[in-house]
Amino acid sequence: MMAGVATVCEECDGKRFQADVLRYKFGGKNISEVLGLPVEEAEHFFGGEGAASTPAATRFSPGSPMSGSAT
């Protein structure tokens, strides 16, 4: 057993998402970058105070940047 030995995934660089997932962007950021935002930045990123409490269905619609098209 090799306790204490850590390696970083060469494919995802430790982001824990597959490359095909990381290529999708929302607001110029991939999911790993969004999840890494501090709360204050995330609040601003998603449209200001209280935006996170608004149901996603009302913020995103088909054809929006979050509809699944890779950029």
Side-chain angles (χ1 to χ4, degrees):
M1 184 142 217
M2 297 180 61
V5 175
T7 60
V8 177
C9 175
E10 293 177 14
E11 188 172 332
C12 73
D13 196 28
K15 292 179 175 65
R16 299 181 182 201
F17 290 94
Q18 295 177 356
D20 60 332
V21 172
L22 292 172
R23 74 172 187 231
Y24 289 89
K25 304 280 183 174
F26 176 73
K29 297 186 182 300
N30 66 37
I31 185 67
S32 181
E33 294 165 331
V34 169
L35 292 174
L37 291 173
V39 172
E40 293 81 15
E41 285 183 44
E43 204 169 54
H44 177 73
F45 180 79
F46 285 106
E49 191 173 330
S53 64
T54 305
T58 63
R59 293 194 312 266
F60 305 115
S61 61
S64 72
M66 195 61 179
S67 65
S69 60
T71 55

